[in-house]
Amino acid sequence: MKQSFHIITSTCVPLPLENIDTDQIIPARFLKATTRDEKFFGDNLFRDWRYRKDGSLNPDFVLNDARFSGEILVAGKNFGSGSSREHAAWAIAGYGFRVVVSSFFADIHKNNELNNFVLPVVVSEDFLQELFRCIFENPDTQVEVNLPEQRITNLSNGRSEHFDINAYKKHCLMNGLDDIDFLVENQDKTQLWEQQHNS
Amino acid sequence: MNTLFDKIWNAHVVQEVNEGPTQLYIDRLYCHEVTSPQAFEGMRQRGLKCFRPEKIFCMPDHNTPTENQDKPIRDEVSRQQVETLEKNAKDFGLNHFGLMHPKNGIIHVVGPERGLTLPGMTIVCGDSHTSTHGAMGAVAFGIGTSEVEMVMASQCILQMRPKTMRINIEGTLGKGVSAKDMALYIIARLTTGGATGYFVEYAGQAVRELSMEGRLTLCNLSIEMGARGGMIAPDEKTFAYLKGKEYAPKGEDWERALAYWKTLKSEDDAVFDKEVYFDASDIEPMITYGTNPGMGMGITQEIPAVPEDEASRQSFQKSLDYMGFQAGEKLLGKPVDYVFLGACTNGRIEDFRAFASIVKGRHKADNIVAWLVPGSWAVKQQIEAEGLDKILKEAGFEIRQPGCSACLAMNEDKIPAGKYAVSTSNRNFEGRQGPGSRTLLASPQTAAAAAVCGRITDPRSLL
């Protein structure tokens, strides 16, 4: 949901797998909802990894490991590949994550996160692997994500990296604005384009 | 900036947002029942009407059962989602092809076959396989539900301009090797994220030689290597395919459109951000062994060794464990349980012809459950008109009603846990075809060979 985003400092949940696809983030059988109920989607985030076949919690999965919690999900490269389902971003937001850190994101999912005020932060593979090591060695490791300065800092060792985001989207996130507001305000420009292109 | 992609993109720029994305005009929005309800809900909450309702086409496909479509859907939640689309289309004044409507089918099959998808268009849908429509020479890409709402509200979308990549496939495909194998080969070479950030143009002799159905299959799978979309320059095959189609321009409009479409190609001096080259004669029938579409190999090959780097090793091993396979082993000869022909990837008439050509005069193996699902009612009619249904019936196969079926386990067609399915669909992710299901992606020919032999078989041995 629309909320403004500035600086987040939090512990992290580490998920060091690569190519995590949106079918894993939220399996298709949970896509039948017709409303945007973030709690429902959040409750089913990583459903088939989080629960065993008999419905009991899978103690080996990181979301069920009491040592790890926080508003930042840290995942292996190519996060969010596959299906365009925005339900994956709703599930991440609904669970309570505000930031996803990875060395590489799939395009559609990255847009979906941004459109739901979840910030995808792209870091170098080296920064990512070191962050995983820090978190596993000390689950209390804190990370600061500073959107105004576009900087992520691993507070356990002070290592920090710049991250990219376009100025328009940064402005939207910091001020709780979305693209639909912008496009509706610009309908006169769209009509002009249609006249010029006989469309 | 004179690639095919640039020409179409540039022609649709409404404005460049300062230090931000492009506001791009969209010619066609397709909606299905799964990714649209929350967009309509948002429109209602904002008190908005669709800006250009005549440019929006809706049809259910994901939840639709593949038998007894004339009766109410048994799964109440599926039924509700399908009914919600019908109501939303009515409330907002949109075109809607509901269940049992003669124009219903998988949205990515129906768009091209009806002439709703045309060269030079910008096309979006809340579905990653929207890349399919690029085969007609359109800029087509999948979007999220918030973006669906953007297009409903304004007929525009805000997007960062992707980079461009040209994939050149020269030479000629061997016998028994199809567009599906070409796509799986490219994805295996480039990896599942290898084209992320790029819009792909497919070019070269082997691409030009593909039929329109083959091109649709190739472009369909662009997203499986992460590409924003995939496209092919329209040519005489494209124009012949479109001429006379229901929604294609007619008369003088056709001539005017044709003159424009003929300009839609990358110029000789076009510069791409990246170019890659493959030789079609290197491609053999492909099959996947893991849990992403990049984990594919030639059907005669062995599963590669576990990678040495720590970051990749864990994911690779988890994938093989899920599939019940070992590094270094061959898949040829392994028994399988299910065969699925269909989906937006391989649910077109040519796919049924290919399947029928292998099973003709043979019979379905006893250990196989086979689901043959046309991509649309039009495909089903064509199957019957060509008598393929009789050939398939004699071989022990029946044709179901159109829909997404076993591609993604949102309807009744699910692969049970632990079972192996040779599937012509597009994704072999964990649980994609049902919780615990194990998917081996392959061409219609390879699926047919598995269906009659009961095990993984090189289709070239049955030609």
Side-chain angles (χ1 to χ4, degrees):
Chain A
M1 286 296 100
K2 287 188 189 183
Q3 52 184 325
S4 58
F5 192 116
H6 292 273
I7 298 172
I8 284 182
T9 304
S10 169
T11 51
C12 305
V13 176
L15 195 48
L17 289 171
E18 297 181 346
N19 305 317
I20 294 174
D21 59 77
T22 53
D23 273 75
Q24 307 319 312
I25 299 173
I26 185 92
R29 62 186 185 278
F30 299 107
L31 308 189
K32 295 184 185 186
T34 51
T35 59
R36 199 185 274 228
D37 178 352
E38 288 202 353
K39 183 178 183 308
F40 168 79
F41 294 117
D43 287 348
N44 291 299
L45 175 69
F46 294 118
R47 174 79 198 198
D48 291 341
W49 289 349
R50 208 163 141 194
Y51 295 89
R52 292 171 170 150
K53 278 182 200 132
D54 63 8
S56 63
L57 285 177
N58 172 10
D60 297 332
F61 187 60
V62 68
L63 290 192
N64 300 325
D65 187 333
R67 292 177 299 159
F68 303 107
S69 63
E71 294 180 291
I72 302 174
L73 176 66
V74 184
K77 76 175 175 198
N78 197 24
F79 184 78
S81 56
S83 159
S84 65
R85 59 188 69 169
E86 192 162 318
H87 314 65
W90 300 334
I92 289 168
Y95 185 83
F97 290 120
R98 305 281 317 273
V99 177
V100 181
V101 178
S102 180
S103 55
F104 194 82
F105 286 85
D107 290 325
I108 304 177
H109 180 69
K110 191 175 176 184
N111 280 349
N112 288 341
E113 287 192 6
L114 286 167
N115 285 332
N116 286 280
F117 298 84
V118 171
L119 180 64
V121 174
V122 182
V123 296
S124 67
E125 188 65 35
D126 190 50
F127 184 96
L128 181 71
Q129 295 305 327
E130 187 183 69
L131 181 56
F132 278 133
R133 280 195 296 276
C134 290
I135 299 167
F136 282 111
E137 277 169 24
N138 178 11
D140 295 329
T141 296
Q142 298 260 334
V143 166
E144 180 190 274
V145 177
N146 184 323
L147 177 61
E149 292 185 8
Q150 295 179 226
R151 186 152 285 284
I152 177 170
T153 307
N154 176 344
L155 295 176
S156 70
N157 58 11
R159 182 166 171 187
S160 136
E161 270 193 5
H162 172 86
F163 62 84
D164 285 332
I165 180 170
N166 76 67
Y168 163 82
K169 208 67 205 178
K170 179 175 167 179
H171 174 78
C172 287
L173 284 181
M174 289 177 60
N175 295 285
L177 302 171
D178 74 17
D179 292 352
I180 297 166
D181 301 329
F182 177 91
L183 287 167
V184 171
E185 281 167 21
N186 280 272
Q187 277 179 352
D188 55 333
K189 290 199 177 70
T190 309
Q191 276 170 333
L192 187 64
W193 185 94
E194 287 178 327
Q195 285 158 16
Q196 287 166 349
H197 291 77
N198 216 0
S199 179
Chain B
M1 303 296 268
N2 49 2
T3 69
L4 168 62
F5 171 82
D6 294 326
K7 288 179 181 180
I8 299 173
W9 178 280
N10 293 347
H12 288 81
V13 174
V14 174
Q15 64 170 327
E16 301 288 353
V17 180
N18 190 27
E19 290 186 72
T22 302
Q23 182 182 341
L24 196 71
Y25 193 84
I26 297 300
D27 295 314
R28 183 77 71 224
L29 169 65
Y30 293 121
C31 291
H32 62 63
E33 77 280 22
V34 181
T35 55
S36 65
Q38 291 86 353
F40 286 112
E41 182 194 26
M43 293 285 285
R44 284 197 180 90
Q45 283 167 358
R46 290 172 200 256
L48 294 172
K49 290 181 176 160
C50 288
F51 186 64
R52 294 291 176 254
E54 69 279 7
K55 299 192 178 200
I56 306 175
F57 284 76
C58 308
M59 65 200 79
D61 52 12
H62 285 56
N63 282 277
T64 55
T66 54
E67 48 189 10
N68 301 321
Q69 284 187 13
D70 56 326
K71 300 193 178 68
I73 300 176
R74 278 189 294 226
D75 180 302
E76 196 184 330
V77 194
S78 285
R79 191 174 70 235
Q80 193 191 358
Q81 202 169 47
V82 169
E83 287 172 356
T84 300
L85 179 64
E86 185 177 7
K87 179 178 187 320
N88 283 330
K90 196 172 172 213
D91 288 354
F92 285 87
L94 312 180
N95 306 282
H96 178 255
F97 306 153
L99 289 192
M100 295 301 292
H101 191 293
K103 296 183 204 173
N104 180 260
I106 305 173
I107 212 157
H108 307 312
V109 174
V110 171
E113 83 185 359
R114 295 278 164 191
L116 284 164
T117 294
L118 296 171
M121 276 186 166
T122 49
I123 299 171
V124 294
C125 174
D127 193 294
S128 60
H129 293 110
T130 308
S131 60
T132 312
H133 305 267
M136 312 302 293
V139 166
F141 53 93
I143 57 176
T145 297
S146 295
E147 295 171 311
V148 170
E149 190 179 336
M150 279 182 217
V151 182
M152 287 176 177
S154 69
Q155 205 56 38
C156 289
I157 195 167
L158 293 177
Q159 288 286 295
M160 298 303 288
R161 187 190 189 101
K163 293 180 281 185
T164 55
M165 180 191 296
R166 182 159 59 187
I167 299 179
N168 304 278
I169 308 121
E170 296 297 344
T172 298
L173 287 174
K175 217 166 182 308
V177 184
S178 70
K180 178 66 168 287
D181 300 304
M182 187 191 277
L184 289 175
Y185 178 85
I186 296 168
I187 301 163
R189 296 290 294 269
L190 297 183
T191 79
T192 185
T196 300
Y198 291 91
F199 213 100
V200 168
E201 179 181 344
Y202 298 98
Q205 182 193 352
V207 174
R208 287 194 302 275
E209 285 178 359
L210 291 176
S211 65
M212 289 315 294
E213 286 85 357
R215 294 178 187 187
L216 289 158
T217 299
L218 179 62
C219 289
N220 173 273
L221 289 159
S222 304
I223 182 67
E224 307 311 335
M225 51 185 173
R228 206 65 191 82
M231 63 196 309
I232 296 170
D235 61 9
E236 293 303 326
K237 267 187 203 171
T238 320
F239 309 144
Y241 178 90
L242 283 171
K243 189 151 196 188
K245 291 259 191 267
E246 186 179 355
Y247 291 92
K250 307 277 183 329
E252 279 180 28
D253 289 342
W254 169 264
E255 295 304 329
R256 203 174 311 119
L258 193 61
Y260 171 58
W261 294 346
K262 286 180 175 173
T263 69
L264 295 176
K265 55 179 189 231
S266 292
E267 298 300 325
D268 292 342
D269 60 353
V271 177
F272 292 81
D273 294 301
K274 188 171 180 180
E275 290 218 53
V276 290
Y277 299 86
F278 298 108
D279 185 337
S281 62
D282 292 340
I283 305 173
E284 64 170 336
M286 296 287 293
I287 194 153
T288 63
Y289 55 85
T291 57
N292 74 57
M295 300 176 81
M297 63 182 189
I299 196 160
T300 62
Q301 306 289 304
E302 292 156 3
I303 296 175
V306 178
E308 286 182 7
D309 74 288
E310 181 58 30
S312 304
R313 191 189 55 76
Q314 193 185 346
S315 308
F316 188 89
Q317 191 59 55
K318 182 177 191 297
S319 185
L320 291 194
D321 291 347
Y322 180 87
M323 292 301 293
F325 295 148
Q326 313 272 338
E329 72 175 339
K330 281 194 176 198
L331 292 184
L332 266 186
K334 277 192 181 287
V336 294
D337 311 293
Y338 284 75
V339 165
F340 171 49
L341 173 67
C344 55
T345 313
N346 283 122
R348 298 182 187 80
I349 185 64
E350 186 176 89
D351 304 313
F352 282 80
R353 289 181 193 136
F355 192 98
S357 74
I358 298 276
V359 304
K360 186 176 183 178
R362 298 189 169 95
H363 202 274
K364 184 181 77 66
D366 289 340
N367 61 315
I368 296 289
V369 176
W371 290 329
L372 277 54
V373 186
S376 68
W377 284 107
V379 172
K380 189 167 195 292
Q381 280 167 3
Q382 185 67 21
I383 289 167
E384 287 158 8
E386 294 183 17
L388 297 175
D389 55 326
K390 292 190 188 68
I391 294 170
L392 293 166
K393 195 172 180 191
E394 278 167 24
F397 299 93
E398 58 177 87
I399 311 279
R400 299 171 77 91
Q401 293 177 331
C404 295
S405 184
C407 179
L408 87 168
M410 279 198 76
N411 48 68
E412 291 169 3
D413 304 344
K414 295 183 181 73
I415 309 296
K419 298 292 183 188
Y420 290 100
V422 176
S423 176
T424 67
S425 52
N426 40 58
R427 289 188 173 133
N428 50 355
F429 297 151
E430 284 184 31
R432 172 77 179 184
Q433 296 190 285
S437 60
R438 292 159 158 174
T439 305
L440 303 123
L441 298 176
S443 71
Q445 290 90 332
T446 302
V452 292
C453 297
R455 50 193 66 243
I456 297 170
T457 304
D458 188 336
R460 293 172 296 187
S461 67
L462 302 181
L463 291 175

